[in-house]
Amino acid sequence: MLTLAVLWLGGPAVAAETGREVYVAKCQACHGDRGRGDGPAARALPKKPRDFSVPTFWASVDDAQVERVI
């Protein structure tokens, strides 16, 4: 029912998923289990993924910025 309401209201389809589900599906391979940028796919990237465990990163962004990236 929630998914239908979100779609009807024009919201993103991922709204019915939890943040954890989205992270595991879209981010974990590069950013790792704990968000430190050490996931198994990170080694294949030219630049190390951002370390989300650093508090200064979270102090520099707001929810809207994070939502746009996701």
Side-chain angles (χ1 to χ4, degrees), residues 11-61:
V14 295
E17 295 177 302
T18 66
R20 179 75 181 150
E21 290 170 333
V22 172
Y23 182 84
V24 168
K26 308 263 184 206
C27 311
Q28 186 174 357
C30 296
H31 291 282
D33 292 338
R34 302 204 178 255
R36 295 184 178 144
D38 60 354
R43 291 185 291 273
L45 298 174
K47 182 178 174 186
K48 183 179 178 185
R50 183 175 301 280
D51 183 346
F52 293 138
S53 68
V54 178
T56 53
F57 166 71
W58 294 107
S60 70
V61 298

